[in-house]
């Protein structure tokens, strides 16, 4: 049974079982998550959630990131609000095989629970983080792509399961209790793609974190659920992915059947965390090739001493997903602009970059940006992969500039290295933490050596 197999594997996983590259991937995933969460801590969506829910806050055990450890609330609400902050700029990590943003739900729940419990070492935290991310991505693979196509936000619909597995580990749940936690999380499935472009998109991973934490705590207390929550006829997989005729076989493929072990054990199996990538741009990932191309074209055109305003037209040849997911031609604010290939391409051409600042509402409504945006045409080319694009810029004098992207920066083929991740972290955290951003960066890089995870949150 998939649910019990997943619970058995997660319960048995130890830090010593993790290869060095998996530990490094976990540290990088946490580091990226922390930067995104601190960077999103003063976004209106985060502030509204915090202010609206303040009357319901309980014991001050867990840190709200972005305040140098000075603001603590109860673990449940910390998981929710940090989860919102981690995703609100759409700058978080991506498991490219499923487009799940895996660390947001898992780390938001895990950090809140670890501070509440106290005494959780950096190594134990990393083992739990890996277990949660692996669980989340494996169940995601089982239902991908039908689940996403029908309208579920796969980050949150799988995130509560990953969060429950991670928190179960640091709370010391046994196999049966962890299975019940998985069931409790699975029944709290959340996230509609209709919400993309609004505050509610970032609510999804926050709520998934909160649901996963709640599930593990209740299971620890003896609350029960079905031990076939994932694979039963009316269980999670069949309900959230009814169009997939072989859903149970798919679940067995990724969670593992008695004759086929897909979860990693004794060196056999695939670590999903090694397929995690980190965004260089805070927007829908299918736009990244276009931004990459346009930023390079910005340099090419400027090096020719030609003003960007001399552009006559821009044609972007794109994979069909680009227009399905990011086809907003006239975004009205920064959140909608994150799903506009037109706005993002215009920023690449005008500024040579796309950071959170380029998705500020004022930039989205800037006539200069709109003028370039309106000259962009996106054409579907089914021969392209989601990671490819061809962008053609024609100037008023007839000059033509072309840029082809085979793999966008931030992909597994062209990954962000540690210095690039650090630059991304500091760019987000300096406006929030000031001079304290450097200390936060060091603390997050050094998480593996922490005797108690509580020792690093004072910098965040």
């Amino acid at each position: 049974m998939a649910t019990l197999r997943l619970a058995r594997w997660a319960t048995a996983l130890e830090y010593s079982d993790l290869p060095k590259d998996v530990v490094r991937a976990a540290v990088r995933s946490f580091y990226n998550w922390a930067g995104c969460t601190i960077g999103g801590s003063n976004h209106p969506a985060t502030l509204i959630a915090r202010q609206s829910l303040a009357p319901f806050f309980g014991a001050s055990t867990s840190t709200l990131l972005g305040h140098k450890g000075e603001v603590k609330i109860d673990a449940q609400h910390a998981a929710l609000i940090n989860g919102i902050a981690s995703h609100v700029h759409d700058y978080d990590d991506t498991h490219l095989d499923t487009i799940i943003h895996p660390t947001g739900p898992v780390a938001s729940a895990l950090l809140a629970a670890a501070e509440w419990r106290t005494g959780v070492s950096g190594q134990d935290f990393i083992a739990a983080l890996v277990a949660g991310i692996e669980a989340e991505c494996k169940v995601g693979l089982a239902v991908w792509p039908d689940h996403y196509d029908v309208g579920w936000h796969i980050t949150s619909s799988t995130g509560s399961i990953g969060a429950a597995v991670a928190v179960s580990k640091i709370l010391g749940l046994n196999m049966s209790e962890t299975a019940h936690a998985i069931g409790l999380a699975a029944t709290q499935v959340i996230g509609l793609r209709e919400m993309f472009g609004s505050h509610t998109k970032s609510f999804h991973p926050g709520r998934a974190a909160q649901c996963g934490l709640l599930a593990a705590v209740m299971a620890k207390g003896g609350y029960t659920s079905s031990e076939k929550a994932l694979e039963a006829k009316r269980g999670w997989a069949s309900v959230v992915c009814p169009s997939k005729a072989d859903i149970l076989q798919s679940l067995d493929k990724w969670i593992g059947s008695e004759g086929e072990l897909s979860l990693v054990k004794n060196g056999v199996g695939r670590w999903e965390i090694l397929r995690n990538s980190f965004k260089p741009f805070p927007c829908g990932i299918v736009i990244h090739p276009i931004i990459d191309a346009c930023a390079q074209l910005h340099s090419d055109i400027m090096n020719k001493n030609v003003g960007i305003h001399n552009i006559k037209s821009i044609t972007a040849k794109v994979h069909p997903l680009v227009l399905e997911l990011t086809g907003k031609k006239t975004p009205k604010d920064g959140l909608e602009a994150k799903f506009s290939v037109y706005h993002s391409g215009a920023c690449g051409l005008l500024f040579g970059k796309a950071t959170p600042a380029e998705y500020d509402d004022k930039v989205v409504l800037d006539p200069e940006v709109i003028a370039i945006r309106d000259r962009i045409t996106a054409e579907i080319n089914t021969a392209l992969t989601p990671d490819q694009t061809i962008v053609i810029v024609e100037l008023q004098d007839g000059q033509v500039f072309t840029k082809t992207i085979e793999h966008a920066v931030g992909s597994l083929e062209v990954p962000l290295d540690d210095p690039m991740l650090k630059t991304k972290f500091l760019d987000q955290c300096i406006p929030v933490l000031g001079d304290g951003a450097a200390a936060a960066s060091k603390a997050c890089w050094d998480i593996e050596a922490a005797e108690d995870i509580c020792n690093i949150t004072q910098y965040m």
Side-chain angles (χ1 to χ4, degrees):
M1 294 188 291
T3 306
L4 284 173
R5 283 195 295 273
L6 177 56
R8 183 185 304 117
W9 174 84
T11 304
L13 184 70
E14 300 287 347
Y15 174 82
S16 58
D17 297 327
L18 305 179
K20 289 182 179 180
D21 58 347
V22 170
V23 172
R24 179 173 181 269
V27 172
R28 281 164 55 85
S29 296
F30 176 78
Y31 181 83
N32 183 76
W33 169 82
C36 291
T37 307
I38 294 168
S41 62
N42 57 6
H43 188 280
T46 311
L47 296 177
I48 291 169
R50 178 182 170 186
Q51 292 162 4
S52 300
L53 297 173
F56 305 101
F57 292 166
S60 300
T61 60
S62 304
T63 301
L64 280 185
L65 271 60
H67 306 279
K68 300 181 183 178
E70 295 175 358
V71 178
K72 293 182 183 293
I73 59 175
D74 64 280
Q76 283 279 310
H77 283 103
L80 170 66
I81 295 171
N82 285 335
I84 289 171
S86 75
H87 189 61
V88 73
H89 283 305
D90 233 306
Y91 216 5
D92 40 351
D93 55 352
T94 307
H95 177 257
L96 292 175
D97 290 349
T98 58
I99 61 173
I100 291 171
H101 305 292
T103 310
V106 176
S108 300
L110 188 56
L111 185 64
E115 288 193 279
W116 165 60
R117 184 189 174 199
T118 71
V120 177
S121 71
Q123 293 187 358
D124 287 344
F125 186 93
I126 286 171
L129 181 67
V130 172
I133 288 175
E134 293 299 309
E136 175 184 25
C137 291
K138 290 295 190 185
V139 297
L141 284 162
V143 297
W144 175 263
D146 305 51
H147 172 73
Y148 188 79
D149 290 345
V150 78
W152 288 102
H153 186 187
I154 194 168
T155 294
S156 50
S157 59
T158 64
S160 58
I161 296 170
V165 167
V167 176
S168 292
K169 280 197 68 63
I170 62 165
L171 295 185
L173 272 64
N174 61 32
M175 183 189 75
S176 178
E177 291 168 336
T178 300
H180 291 306
I182 291 170
L184 278 161
T187 204
Q188 298 178 83
V189 62
I190 181 177
L192 303 176
R193 282 175 55 194
E194 170 60 25
M195 304 305 165
F196 287 13
S198 74
H199 288 165
T200 301
K201 183 174 189 284
S202 61
F203 172 77
H204 292 164
R207 187 63 167 173
Q210 189 179 37
C211 290
L213 174 55
L214 181 150
V217 170
M218 291 182 70
K220 175 71 172 177
Y223 214 88
T224 65
S225 70
S226 169
E227 292 187 345
K228 300 179 181 179
L230 298 178
E231 70 273 16
K233 180 180 179 181
R234 294 178 178 84
W236 180 85
S238 294
V239 170
V240 302
C241 196
S243 62
K244 200 165 188 176
D246 59 346
I247 188 63
L248 298 185
Q249 292 90 330
S250 183
L251 200 60
D252 278 349
K253 175 183 177 182
W254 293 107
I255 299 298
S257 61
E258 295 303 327
E260 177 186 358
L261 184 68
S262 295
L263 288 159
V264 182
K265 187 176 182 182
N266 299 326
V268 180
R270 187 179 92 171
W271 292 103
E272 300 307 325
I273 199 169
L274 295 179
R275 304 185 66 77
N276 205 17
S277 67
F278 304 100
K279 287 185 174 185
F281 312 118
C283 59
I285 199 164
V286 294
I287 313 177
H288 288 197
I290 291 87
I291 300 175
D292 195 352
C294 288
Q296 293 185 46
L297 285 166
H298 170 88
S299 298
D300 294 346
I301 294 171
M302 295 300 288
N303 287 340
K304 294 288 186 180
N305 294 316
V306 177
I308 295 297
H309 298 289
N310 289 314
I311 290 175
K312 178 181 178 181
S313 66
I314 306 106
T315 301
K317 299 182 184 297
V318 300
H319 184 271
L321 271 177
V322 173
L323 290 183
E324 178 186 340
L325 299 177
T326 62
K328 294 182 183 294
K329 185 70 175 178
T330 56
K332 68 178 185 294
D333 57 26
L335 287 175
E336 284 197 351
K338 293 176 182 296
F339 296 90
S340 172
V341 63
Y342 306 100
H343 174 80
S344 300
C347 288
L349 285 167
L350 272 172
F351 310 120
K353 61 182 180 178
T355 71
E358 280 67 58
Y359 293 89
D360 185 87
D361 291 353
K362 292 180 181 178
V363 176
V364 176
L365 301 176
D366 187 332
E368 186 177 43
V369 174
I370 293 172
I372 298 298
R373 184 183 77 196
D374 289 346
R375 298 173 203 176
I376 297 177
T377 301
E379 296 180 354
I380 291 176
N381 185 328
T382 56
L384 297 174
T385 69
D387 204 24
Q388 294 177 314
T389 193
I390 302 168
V391 178
I392 304 163
V393 175
E394 182 181 356
L395 303 184
Q396 299 288 354
D397 63 5
Q399 289 188 77
V400 175
F401 294 80
T402 301
K403 185 65 64 174
T404 299
I405 299 295
E406 292 294 335
H407 300 289
V409 62
S411 64
L412 293 178
E413 293 79 9
V414 190
L416 298 191
D417 59 20
D418 287 354
M420 295 167 76
L421 266 184
K422 183 177 180 180
T423 297
K424 175 182 174 181
F425 183 101
L426 294 176
D427 282 349
Q428 294 179 92
C429 295
I430 288 173
V432 179
L433 301 179
D435 294 342
S441 173
K442 184 178 187 305
C444 291
W445 276 132
D446 294 342
I447 184 176
E448 186 182 1
E451 293 184 4
D452 186 335
I453 201 70
C454 295
N455 295 337
I456 74 169
T457 54
Q458 62 183 305
Y459 302 103
M460 299 161 67

Short mmCIF file of all heavy atoms in Angstrom, two decimals, residues 198-231:
data_model
loop_
_atom_site.label_atom_id
_atom_site.label_comp_id
_atom_site.label_asym_id
_atom_site.label_seq_id
_atom_site.Cartn_x
_atom_site.Cartn_y
_atom_site.Cartn_z
N SER A 198 -3.55 36.48 -8.07
CA SER A 198 -4.17 37.13 -6.91
C SER A 198 -3.41 36.76 -5.65
O SER A 198 -2.52 35.90 -5.66
CB SER A 198 -5.64 36.70 -6.77
OG SER A 198 -5.71 35.37 -6.28
N HIS A 199 -3.76 37.40 -4.54
CA HIS A 199 -3.14 37.07 -3.26
C HIS A 199 -3.30 35.58 -2.93
O HIS A 199 -2.44 34.98 -2.27
CB HIS A 199 -3.79 37.88 -2.13
CG HIS A 199 -3.43 39.32 -2.13
ND1 HIS A 199 -4.12 40.27 -1.40
CD2 HIS A 199 -2.45 40.01 -2.76
CE1 HIS A 199 -3.59 41.46 -1.57
NE2 HIS A 199 -2.58 41.34 -2.42
N THR A 200 -4.38 34.99 -3.37
CA THR A 200 -4.71 33.62 -2.95
C THR A 200 -3.71 32.60 -3.48
O THR A 200 -3.56 31.54 -2.88
CB THR A 200 -6.14 33.27 -3.38
OG1 THR A 200 -7.03 34.20 -2.77
CG2 THR A 200 -6.54 31.88 -2.93
N LYS A 201 -3.02 32.90 -4.57
CA LYS A 201 -2.00 31.94 -5.04
C LYS A 201 -0.96 31.68 -3.95
O LYS A 201 -0.58 30.53 -3.70
CB LYS A 201 -1.31 32.43 -6.31
CG LYS A 201 -0.31 31.43 -6.88
CD LYS A 201 0.24 31.90 -8.22
CE LYS A 201 1.06 30.80 -8.89
NZ LYS A 201 2.40 30.64 -8.27
N SER A 202 -0.51 32.74 -3.27
CA SER A 202 0.49 32.55 -2.22
C SER A 202 -0.12 31.96 -0.95
O SER A 202 0.59 31.35 -0.14
CB SER A 202 1.19 33.87 -1.91
OG SER A 202 0.27 34.84 -1.44
N PHE A 203 -1.42 32.12 -0.78
CA PHE A 203 -2.11 31.47 0.35
C PHE A 203 -2.00 29.95 0.25
O PHE A 203 -1.93 29.26 1.27
CB PHE A 203 -3.58 31.90 0.36
CG PHE A 203 -4.45 31.17 1.36
CD1 PHE A 203 -4.41 31.49 2.70
CD2 PHE A 203 -5.33 30.18 0.93
CE1 PHE A 203 -5.22 30.83 3.62
CE2 PHE A 203 -6.14 29.51 1.83
CZ PHE A 203 -6.09 29.84 3.18
N HIS A 204 -1.96 29.44 -0.98
CA HIS A 204 -1.96 27.98 -1.17
C HIS A 204 -0.81 27.28 -0.45
O HIS A 204 -1.04 26.36 0.34
CB HIS A 204 -1.93 27.66 -2.66
CG HIS A 204 -3.18 28.02 -3.40
ND1 HIS A 204 -3.23 28.11 -4.78
CD2 HIS A 204 -4.42 28.34 -2.96
CE1 HIS A 204 -4.45 28.47 -5.15
NE2 HIS A 204 -5.19 28.61 -4.07
N PRO A 205 0.47 27.64 -0.72
CA PRO A 205 1.54 26.93 0.01
C PRO A 205 1.54 27.22 1.50
O PRO A 205 1.93 26.37 2.30
CB PRO A 205 2.83 27.44 -0.66
CG PRO A 205 2.45 28.68 -1.37
CD PRO A 205 1.01 28.55 -1.74
N GLY A 206 1.08 28.42 1.89
CA GLY A 206 0.98 28.71 3.32
C GLY A 206 -0.04 27.82 4.00
O GLY A 206 0.22 27.25 5.07
N ARG A 207 -1.18 27.68 3.38
CA ARG A 207 -2.22 26.83 3.96
C ARG A 207 -1.79 25.36 3.93
O ARG A 207 -2.09 24.60 4.87
CB ARG A 207 -3.53 27.01 3.19
CG ARG A 207 -4.71 26.29 3.81
CD ARG A 207 -5.04 26.80 5.20
NE ARG A 207 -6.33 26.32 5.65
CZ ARG A 207 -6.81 26.50 6.87
NH1 ARG A 207 -6.08 27.15 7.78
NH2 ARG A 207 -8.00 26.06 7.20
N ALA A 208 -1.09 24.95 2.87
CA ALA A 208 -0.59 23.57 2.81
C ALA A 208 0.37 23.30 3.96
O ALA A 208 0.35 22.23 4.57
CB ALA A 208 0.09 23.32 1.47
N ALA A 209 1.23 24.28 4.26
CA ALA A 209 2.15 24.13 5.39
C ALA A 209 1.38 24.00 6.69
O ALA A 209 1.67 23.13 7.53
CB ALA A 209 3.09 25.34 5.45
N GLN A 210 0.39 24.85 6.87
CA GLN A 210 -0.42 24.81 8.09
C GLN A 210 -1.17 23.49 8.21
O GLN A 210 -1.22 22.88 9.29
CB GLN A 210 -1.39 25.99 8.07
CG GLN A 210 -2.15 26.20 9.36
CD GLN A 210 -3.08 27.41 9.28
OE1 GLN A 210 -3.67 27.67 8.24
NE2 GLN A 210 -3.20 28.15 10.38
N CYS A 211 -1.74 23.02 7.10
CA CYS A 211 -2.47 21.75 7.12
C CYS A 211 -1.56 20.58 7.45
O CYS A 211 -1.94 19.66 8.19
CB CYS A 211 -3.14 21.52 5.76
SG CYS A 211 -4.52 22.63 5.41
N GLY A 212 -0.36 20.58 6.87
CA GLY A 212 0.58 19.49 7.13
C GLY A 212 1.03 19.45 8.57
O GLY A 212 1.15 18.37 9.18
N LEU A 213 1.29 20.63 9.13
CA LEU A 213 1.67 20.71 10.53
C LEU A 213 0.55 20.21 11.43
O LEU A 213 0.76 19.40 12.34
CB LEU A 213 2.03 22.16 10.87
CG LEU A 213 2.32 22.52 12.33
CD1 LEU A 213 3.42 21.65 12.91
CD2 LEU A 213 2.70 23.99 12.44
N LEU A 214 -0.66 20.68 11.17
CA LEU A 214 -1.82 20.24 11.93
C LEU A 214 -1.98 18.72 11.86
O LEU A 214 -2.24 18.05 12.86
CB LEU A 214 -3.06 20.94 11.41
CG LEU A 214 -4.42 20.65 12.06
CD1 LEU A 214 -5.32 21.88 11.96
CD2 LEU A 214 -5.12 19.47 11.39
N ALA A 215 -1.79 18.16 10.66
CA ALA A 215 -1.96 16.72 10.46
C ALA A 215 -0.99 15.93 11.32
O ALA A 215 -1.37 14.94 11.98
CB ALA A 215 -1.77 16.38 8.98
N ALA A 216 0.28 16.35 11.32
CA ALA A 216 1.29 15.61 12.08
C ALA A 216 1.03 15.72 13.59
O ALA A 216 1.16 14.73 14.32
CB ALA A 216 2.68 16.14 11.74
N VAL A 217 0.67 16.91 14.05
CA VAL A 217 0.42 17.11 15.48
C VAL A 217 -0.79 16.28 15.94
O VAL A 217 -0.75 15.64 17.01
CB VAL A 217 0.20 18.60 15.79
CG1 VAL A 217 -0.29 18.80 17.21
CG2 VAL A 217 1.50 19.38 15.56
N MET A 218 -1.84 16.26 15.14
CA MET A 218 -3.02 15.48 15.51
C MET A 218 -2.74 13.99 15.49
O MET A 218 -3.19 13.23 16.36
CB MET A 218 -4.19 15.84 14.60
CG MET A 218 -4.72 17.25 14.82
SD MET A 218 -6.14 17.66 13.77
CE MET A 218 -7.41 16.62 14.50
N ALA A 219 -1.97 13.54 14.49
CA ALA A 219 -1.62 12.12 14.42
C ALA A 219 -0.75 11.73 15.61
O ALA A 219 -0.89 10.63 16.17
CB ALA A 219 -0.89 11.82 13.11
N LYS A 220 0.14 12.63 16.01
CA LYS A 220 0.96 12.38 17.20
C LYS A 220 0.09 12.20 18.44
O LYS A 220 0.38 11.39 19.33
CB LYS A 220 1.93 13.55 17.40
CG LYS A 220 2.78 13.49 18.66
CD LYS A 220 3.84 12.41 18.57
CE LYS A 220 4.80 12.49 19.75
NZ LYS A 220 5.81 11.39 19.72
N GLY A 221 -1.01 12.93 18.46
CA GLY A 221 -1.92 12.83 19.60
C GLY A 221 -2.86 11.64 19.56
O GLY A 221 -3.64 11.42 20.48
N GLY A 222 -2.80 10.85 18.48
CA GLY A 222 -3.62 9.66 18.38
C GLY A 222 -4.77 9.74 17.40
O GLY A 222 -5.57 8.81 17.29
N TYR A 223 -4.89 10.85 16.68
CA TYR A 223 -5.97 11.01 15.71
C TYR A 223 -5.71 10.09 14.52
O TYR A 223 -4.59 9.98 14.04
CB TYR A 223 -6.02 12.47 15.23
CG TYR A 223 -7.41 12.97 14.93
CD1 TYR A 223 -8.19 13.54 15.94
CD2 TYR A 223 -7.95 12.89 13.65
CE1 TYR A 223 -9.46 14.02 15.68
CE2 TYR A 223 -9.22 13.37 13.38
CZ TYR A 223 -9.97 13.93 14.39
OH TYR A 223 -11.23 14.40 14.14
N THR A 224 -6.74 9.42 14.04
CA THR A 224 -6.55 8.43 12.98
C THR A 224 -7.15 8.90 11.65
O THR A 224 -7.99 9.79 11.60
CB THR A 224 -7.20 7.08 13.35
OG1 THR A 224 -8.62 7.25 13.44
CG2 THR A 224 -6.65 6.57 14.66
N SER A 225 -6.67 8.26 10.60
CA SER A 225 -7.23 8.45 9.26
C SER A 225 -7.13 7.12 8.53
O SER A 225 -6.69 6.12 9.12
CB SER A 225 -6.45 9.53 8.50
OG SER A 225 -5.15 9.06 8.17
N SER A 226 -7.50 7.08 7.29
CA SER A 226 -7.32 5.86 6.51
C SER A 226 -5.83 5.62 6.26
O SER A 226 -5.08 6.55 5.96
CB SER A 226 -8.04 5.99 5.16
OG SER A 226 -7.66 4.93 4.30
N GLU A 227 -5.41 4.38 6.40
CA GLU A 227 -4.03 4.02 6.07
C GLU A 227 -3.87 3.72 4.58
O GLU A 227 -2.80 3.32 4.13
CB GLU A 227 -3.58 2.83 6.92
CG GLU A 227 -3.46 3.18 8.40
CD GLU A 227 -2.85 2.07 9.23
OE1 GLU A 227 -2.77 0.93 8.73
OE2 GLU A 227 -2.44 2.36 10.37
N LYS A 228 -4.95 3.96 3.82
CA LYS A 228 -4.91 3.85 2.36
C LYS A 228 -5.28 5.20 1.73
O LYS A 228 -5.85 5.25 0.65
CB LYS A 228 -5.87 2.75 1.88
CG LYS A 228 -5.57 1.35 2.41
CD LYS A 228 -6.60 0.36 1.88
CE LYS A 228 -6.36 -1.04 2.42
NZ LYS A 228 -7.39 -2.00 1.91
N ALA A 229 -4.93 6.25 2.42
CA ALA A 229 -5.39 7.58 2.00
C ALA A 229 -4.97 7.95 0.59
O ALA A 229 -5.72 8.61 -0.13
CB ALA A 229 -4.87 8.63 2.99
N LEU A 230 -3.79 7.53 0.17
CA LEU A 230 -3.31 7.90 -1.16
C LEU A 230 -3.88 7.00 -2.25
O LEU A 230 -4.25 7.48 -3.33
CB LEU A 230 -1.78 7.83 -1.21
CG LEU A 230 -1.03 8.79 -0.28
CD1 LEU A 230 0.48 8.56 -0.40
CD2 LEU A 230 -1.36 10.24 -0.60
N GLU A 231 -3.98 5.71 -1.99
CA GLU A 231 -4.26 4.75 -3.06
C GLU A 231 -5.67 4.19 -3.10
O GLU A 231 -6.05 3.51 -4.06
CB GLU A 231 -3.28 3.57 -2.97
CG GLU A 231 -3.50 2.64 -1.77
CD GLU A 231 -2.80 3.07 -0.51
OE1 GLU A 231 -2.38 4.25 -0.42
OE2 GLU A 231 -2.65 2.24 0.40
#
